[in-house]
Structures are given as structure tokens and as C-alpha cells.
Amino acid sequence: MEKARPQWGNPLQFVFACISYAVGLGNVWRFPYLCQMYGGGSFLVPYLVMLIVEGMPLLYLELAVGQRMRQGSIGAWRAISPYLGGVGVASVVVSFFLSMYYNVINAWGFWYLFHSFQDPLPWSVCPLNGNHTGYDEECEKASSTQYFWYRKTLNISPSIQENGSVQWEPALCLTLAWLMVYLCILRGTESTGKVVYFTASLPYCVLIIYLIRGLTLHGATNGLVYMFTPKIEQLANPKAWINAATQIFFSLGLGFGSLIAFASYNEPSNNCQKHAIIVSLVNSSTSIFASIVTFSIYGFKATFNYENCLNKVILLLTNSFDLEDGFLTASNLEEVKGYLASTYPGKYGEVLPHIKNCSLESELDTAVQGTGLAFIVYTEAIKNMEVSQLWSVLYFFMLLLLGMGSMLGNTAAILTPLTDSKVISSHLPKEAISGLVCLINCTIGMVFTLEAGSYWFDVFNDYAATLSLLFIVLVEAIAVCYVYGLKRFEGDLQAMTGRTLNWYWKAMWACVSPLLIIGLFVFYLSDYIVTGTLQYQAWDASQAGKKSDISSHTLDNNNGSMANGGLWKVSIYTGNIYTCGSALRHQVRKCVVRINCHCK
């Protein structure tokens, strides 16, 4: 059976497959957000600590199990104990849930890539209204990039209760994304092993190009200084350590069964310990490297918005008070404002409501992650670059490669146990099994192309796999160390590779990593209990507010209206509907802070 099992063409293909799977969108759009939230450069301390005590040991554990048992997740854990087959089944189910919605990101990437060839970029300007007398009102209240994302791409509905119809453009892009996945996995390791060379290496080429371009942008240093300025006090913040552990855990893709599936196609003598260290270090280095790229562009965007705001204020004051052109500058603005306020108090009072409070720090403080960073913040910066079409094509091509590499791992976690099953493989060829998995996922994934599909995407992304994966990996560590036996497993590894297992790996597997996972599990479980309800972000076309306003608003579930703003956080209740009603802004804030929006 071992001779008949497919194998990687060479060890490099296996390493590239693991890197392509582990290095994904989370490295680009979540790690920079965490750095921004938890102390900039000082966040690297808990991040690197968690890499040593959690990331590398658990990655090595999964690779070693797959290489030793030479089966997919179901067969591997059943070989360890007949009672542990459910662990493998759980991994397959979680991977199936992830595949259902994750490929929608690739569909959005295709949509933006196709539109990147237009001149000007369609998200760079607001469209005209129906009478062609001005710009679209919803776009003017928000921004052209937000409008293109929420209205043109998603055509988003007011709430999750209003599903709407399938949007045919995203649906076609989703079909194309699944067709690409199917072509990549069609021949198993034979085709996947060649594809991963591109999905693992080309994103780095794009990141290097973006780094060179980003560092030459005006204001890039503002973003880099902001990112790497350490805030030592954050080291005492337990949430910084929890989020560092979570980022390491999910970035490496632990618990899905993909790493076990990849390792099962290795030669038994393969040095999986070395490969675990390489993949872990490459993954973490990529996160830091991508953050430098992201914050150089983020600094350009923040500086551009800040200077644009200053120019508008200068123009307003110059016209209102008939000042000489060029008299007002950014350096003397505050001094002149004070002079005008004291000399012309009445007239200045009339102008004051129209004067924006411009702050570079507040622009940099705007923390954005996920789709907001990928499809709004980045596109906002790209549209202001020279030759914007080129940078847009490169960026979304990189996103597609990152997303496709992760999808190859997700589908491998599903397909390997199915093709290992004699019952299924005896009736269906490998190509048919792959086609059916892709077809089923694509069909179910059409839910995310509805007008309310983005809301369902957020719910699945936030709640579908977190606790499940923590529990799966906890059981994996306990199963290897205490059910199969750590000494027995150590002997198996020595017989396979000819190398002894040192004390570091044994200590991490048997004690430190399981205790850390239990801590994370308790934290997330208590957080869900305290929160009490599922939440998602909703878009109000009539207000078209900014994402930064979410925390201060709540929804009236009876009529879908808001007290203020355009994006609001909605709670999904399983019982009676409670609401804060149509209160004023300060009343809503009071309600949210005091009783978490459960007032009747």
C-alpha cells in the first residue's frame, strides 16, 4: 500500500505546498492589524514567544503524524486509536466549512482583477446620479472605494434577514475560482506539486515590487514609524498575548488536516522536523515583511488624506475671509485659526461647523483588517498612485495566488481522506471525487453571492471554526502523548528518520502547548458566553458611514434604522427581539456601554 501511495516529486514540492498553504491572506490583512492594535514593534515579543511554544511544536506534531501514518486525517487518527476517527472527521468537516466561504474571497479577487484594466479605475470616482446633475448620493456620503465595494461588488442588502437574489457577476467569478481549484487538484500531488511553485513564490515577487514602490511613496515613513514604534505597556495586556497565540495558530492552518494530508505523501525518511521549522519561520517572516509593505502604503494613504483635509480647510478659510492666496499654510494654520476666531468671532462661528479636524494620528489610528483592508484601504491607496492600473493588477493577482494556495490545502484536507477510503475510491476515480467536492462547495457557496452574502461570510468567518479547531488540536496533542504514548511515538520517529526527539519537542507536546490551547479555549468560550449573541457588520445606504463608527451604534431591529452612522453592528437573537429604539446618539452610547444593547 505504501508503494502504491502517490508521493511528492521531491521534498521541495512538499515544503512549497506547506508554505503556500500556511502563508495566506491572514499574513497580509490580519497581522498588520494586530501590530497596529497591540503596540507596534512590541507586539513582536508575544508573537515570537507564541511561535516557539505553540506554532513550531504543533506544526511538527501534525507533519510527524501524517508522515508516520501515511494517511489522511481520518485514517491517521484511527490508526493511533480506533476511538479517535472522529477527530479526523471533525477536521474534514471544519475544512469543508472553510472551503464553502473562503473561495468567495478569490471570487472577489477575480472581480477586482478584471476591473483593474479599466482607465480610470472604477472605484476611483463616484458615478453620476440618474439625472446626471451630480454624483450618486450614497457614494458621496461614503467614498468611491466603499461605494464600489458595498454597492457595485456586493450590492449589499440592509440586513441579513433580507437575502435578496444571487448576483450573477460574483456568482460567475465564484464558479471560475472553483474551476481553477479543480484544475489544480485534478491529478493529485502530480498537479498540485507543480502549482505550488507558483502559488508559494510569486506572491513574494509581488510583495518585493510593492515594497520598493511603497517605500518611495510620499508619507510611507509615517506609516512605518507608526507601526514599529513600540508601546511597551501593551506587553502587560493579556489580549495582546491571546491574539498573538491565535494568529500563530490559525496562520499555520493547524487542525484542518491539510498538513497531515500533505505529509502523508512524504517519504518515511523525510526530515519533517527541519521542514516544520522552515515553514514556521517563513510564515512568520512573511507576516512581518507584509506588514512593512502594508504600513508603507497605509502611511501614504493616511498622509494623502491628512494633507487633502488640510487643503480643504485652507481653501475654506481663504474664501470665507478673503485671504491672500498662499497666505495660509499647514504650518501657520492653527495660529491663523486662533487669530480669526478672536478677531471675527461671529463669522468664524458660522464657518466653524464646516471646518474638519485634520489629524495625521487619527488617520493612522484607524484600525482595519480583513476585507476592509484588502478591498477598501488598499484600493483607496492604489487609486492615488501613478499608473494605478498596474499596481491594482499586481495587488489582486497576489491576493489570488495567496487565496488559491490556501484553497489547495483546504481541499487536500477533504480529498485525501475520501480517496484513502476503499469504499469511495473503489466506485469513483480520483478526478470524479475532486469534481464532486468542488461542485458541492461551489453550489453551497452561492449563498455568499446573495445580497446578504457578505453578512453570512462574516458570520462564518468569525464563528464557524474557532472553538472547533482549538478542541481538535488539543485532542491531537493529548492523543499522541497520552493515548498512543510519547515514548512510542518518539521511537517511531527515530525509526523513520534516524533522529532522536529532543527535550524541547517533548516538553511542548506533553505540557506547554496543551495548556496554552486550554487557555485559548476557555478565553473564547467565555467571550462567546459574555457576548451572548452573534454579531455582524451591516451597511446602511441612506447614511453610508465609516467603519470606524461601528462601536458607537446599534440597530433598531424593528425597522432597520440607526441612531447615527452608516455601518453598524447587529446582534442575531434566538429569542425575543430587544432594541434600543430610536434614541439619540448619546443615549445609544449609554445603552451600549451599560447593558450591551439588551435594553427593551
Side-chain angles (χ1 to χ4, degrees):
M1 288 180 63
E2 288 190 356
K3 290 182 180 179
R5 187 172 184 81
Q7 292 185 352
W8 297 106
N10 54 69
L12 191 61
Q13 284 188 355
F14 167 68
V15 174
F16 270 74
C18 291
I19 291 174
S20 178
Y21 169 65
V23 176
L25 298 172
N27 300 75
V28 176
W29 71 25
R30 178 157 173 79
F31 183 81
Y33 164 81
L34 293 176
C35 278
Q36 185 180 20
M37 289 291 292
Y38 297 107
S42 58
F43 179 73
L44 296 178
V45 174
Y47 181 77
L48 294 176
V49 170
M50 292 303 171
L51 173 67
I52 294 171
V53 302
E54 176 197 31
M56 284 194 292
L58 295 176
L59 177 61
Y60 180 29
L61 177 69
E62 290 204 350
L63 294 183
V65 168
Q67 186 169 310
R68 167 65 183 87
M69 303 307 171
R70 295 183 62 75
Q71 297 185 68
S73 55
I74 296 176
W77 294 111
R78 190 174 287 157
I80 287 178
S81 171
Y83 301 104
L84 291 175
V87 178
V89 174
S91 295
V92 172
V93 171
V94 171
S95 294
F96 183 79
F97 272 119
L98 183 71
S99 296
M100 280 195 310
Y101 74 88
Y102 193 90
N103 216 20
V104 178
I105 303 173
N106 291 329
W108 294 333
F110 272 120
W111 168 259
Y112 270 81
L113 180 63
F114 296 151
H115 284 81
S116 297
F117 294 95
Q118 297 182 24
D119 186 19
L121 292 173
W123 55 82
S124 61
V125 292
C126 286
L128 297 175
N129 57 27
N131 299 326
H132 297 280
T133 56
Y135 292 116
D136 184 274
E137 183 180 358
E138 181 182 0
C139 183
E140 279 195 312
K141 289 181 178 179
S143 67
S144 57
T145 50
Q146 285 182 316
Y147 178 82
F148 187 83
W149 170 242
Y150 287 107
R151 185 56 53 217
K152 293 298 182 181
T153 304
L154 304 177
N155 193 24
I156 199 164
S157 63
S159 70
I160 200 170
Q161 289 86 2
E162 302 176 44
N163 283 318
S165 58
V166 171
Q167 306 301 296
W168 69 269
E169 297 97 335
L172 287 177
C173 291
L174 180 62
T175 305
L176 176 61
W178 274 111
L179 179 61
M180 292 291 293
V181 171
Y182 177 67
L183 293 176
C184 292
I185 64 174
L186 182 60
R187 307 285 297 177
T189 55
E190 183 180 339
S191 57
T192 303
K194 294 179 176 61
V195 172
V196 293
Y197 284 128
F198 297 97
T199 58
S201 58
L202 285 182
Y204 290 98
C205 298
V206 178
L207 281 174
I208 291 171
I209 294 172
Y210 251 96
L211 176 65
I212 297 171
R213 176 56 179 150
L215 294 178
T216 61
L217 291 171
H218 174 58
T221 53
N222 292 330
L224 294 177
V225 169
Y226 182 85
M227 173 190 172
F228 286 108
T229 301
K231 301 174 184 174
I232 305 301
E233 67 276 6
Q234 285 292 341
L235 293 176
N237 184 355
K239 284 193 173 182
W241 293 84
I242 290 169
N243 278 283
T246 304
Q247 175 66 13
I248 287 287
F249 187 95
F250 292 110
S251 179
L252 290 173
L254 302 171
F256 289 101
S258 304
L259 298 166
I260 294 176
F262 283 152
S264 70
Y265 300 115
N266 275 337
E267 288 279 0
S269 59
N270 181 66
N271 188 355
C272 54
Q273 174 182 313
K274 179 181 73 175
H275 292 159
I277 295 173
I278 291 173
V279 173
S280 300
L281 294 178
V282 168
N283 179 69
S284 297
S285 301
T286 304
S287 294
I288 298 171
F289 178 51
S291 295
I292 296 173
V293 177
T294 297
F295 271 88
S296 65
I297 294 173
Y298 198 66
F300 162 70
K301 172 189 171 292
T303 304
F304 182 89
N305 289 344
Y306 168 66
E307 292 179 350
N308 191 42
C309 177
L310 286 179
N311 291 333
K312 288 182 178 179
V313 173
I314 289 172
L315 181 63
L316 175 64
L317 293 177
T318 300
N319 292 337
S320 299
F321 293 90
D322 294 326
L323 301 177
E324 183 181 348
D325 289 342
F327 171 73
L328 261 180
T329 62
S331 58
N332 66 5
L333 178 60
E334 293 302 319
E335 182 183 351
V336 173
K337 282 169 64 176
Y339 168 76
L340 294 175
S342 59
T343 308
Y344 309 101
K347 191 172 183 180
Y348 188 83
E350 296 175 3
V351 178
L352 184 61
H354 304 286
I355 298 177
K356 294 183 179 180
N357 185 21
C358 305
S359 170
L360 179 60
E361 190 72 17
S362 64
E363 290 286 347
L364 291 168
D365 280 338
T366 305
V368 182
Q369 65 167 323
T371 54
L373 177 63
F375 297 106
I376 297 178
V377 174
Y378 256 93
T379 54
E380 183 75 29
I382 288 171
K383 77 175 187 180
N384 295 316
M385 294 182 187
E386 296 178 1
V387 200
S388 55
Q389 287 78 14
L390 172 63
W391 301 111
S392 183
V393 168
L394 284 174
Y395 173 68
F396 290 109
F397 179 65
M398 179 190 70
L399 279 191
L400 280 172
L401 290 174
L402 291 173
M404 201 60 64
S406 298
M407 280 303 303
L408 295 181
N410 293 334
T411 51
I414 303 171
L415 290 174
T416 302
L418 296 179
T419 53
D420 285 346
S421 172
K422 293 181 180 179
V423 177
I424 298 175
S425 59
S426 61
H427 291 85
L428 293 172
K430 183 187 301 181
E431 294 80 3
I433 298 173
S434 302
L436 282 174
V437 168
C438 292
L439 180 62
I440 293 170
N441 272 288
C442 183
T443 303
I444 299 175
M446 289 297 168
V447 170
F448 303 103
T449 65
L450 296 169
E451 292 177 23
S454 177
Y455 302 143
W456 287 112
F457 174 88
D458 289 340
V459 171
F460 269 73
N461 192 42
D462 290 339
Y463 301 102
T466 306
L467 289 175
S468 305
L469 289 175
L470 290 171
F471 186 71
I472 288 170
V473 178
L474 176 62
V475 174
E476 288 179 356
I478 294 173
V480 169
C481 295
Y482 302 105
V483 178
Y484 190 79
L486 185 56
K487 288 187 177 180
R488 180 183 173 189
F489 192 66
E490 180 184 2
D492 290 346
L493 289 179
Q494 187 170 358
M496 282 196 310
T497 63
R499 298 172 180 84
T500 57
L501 194 68
N502 64 41
W503 64 268
Y504 163 71
W505 302 110
K506 290 187 282 188
M508 294 300 109
W509 289 352
C511 181
V512 179
S513 294
L515 290 176
L516 181 60
I517 295 171
I518 291 173
L520 288 175
F521 189 84
V522 171
F523 168 77
Y524 276 104
L525 193 62
S526 61
D527 185 57
Y528 285 157
I529 293 172
V530 170
T531 303
T533 56
L534 303 180
Q535 294 180 328
Y536 67 99
Q537 296 168 0
W539 175 260
D540 182 16
S542 64
Q543 300 292 332
K546 295 183 179 180
K547 195 169 186 175
S548 57
D549 294 328
I550 292 172
S551 61
S552 63
H553 308 301
T554 186
L555 171 70
D556 182 338
N557 286 284
N558 291 326
N559 56 26
S561 65
M562 287 192 321
N564 196 345
L567 266 166
W568 19 254
K569 191 171 280 188
V570 183
S571 295
I572 304 174
Y573 294 88
T574 55
N576 296 327
I577 295 177
Y578 299 105
T579 176
C580 297
S582 55
L584 296 174
R585 181 185 178 101
H586 69 276
Q587 292 174 323
V588 174
R589 284 183 180 274
K590 182 177 179 181
C591 171
V592 172
V593 171
R594 288 191 175 182
I595 51 178
N596 198 26
C597 200
H598 282 72
C599 55
K600 292 186 179 180

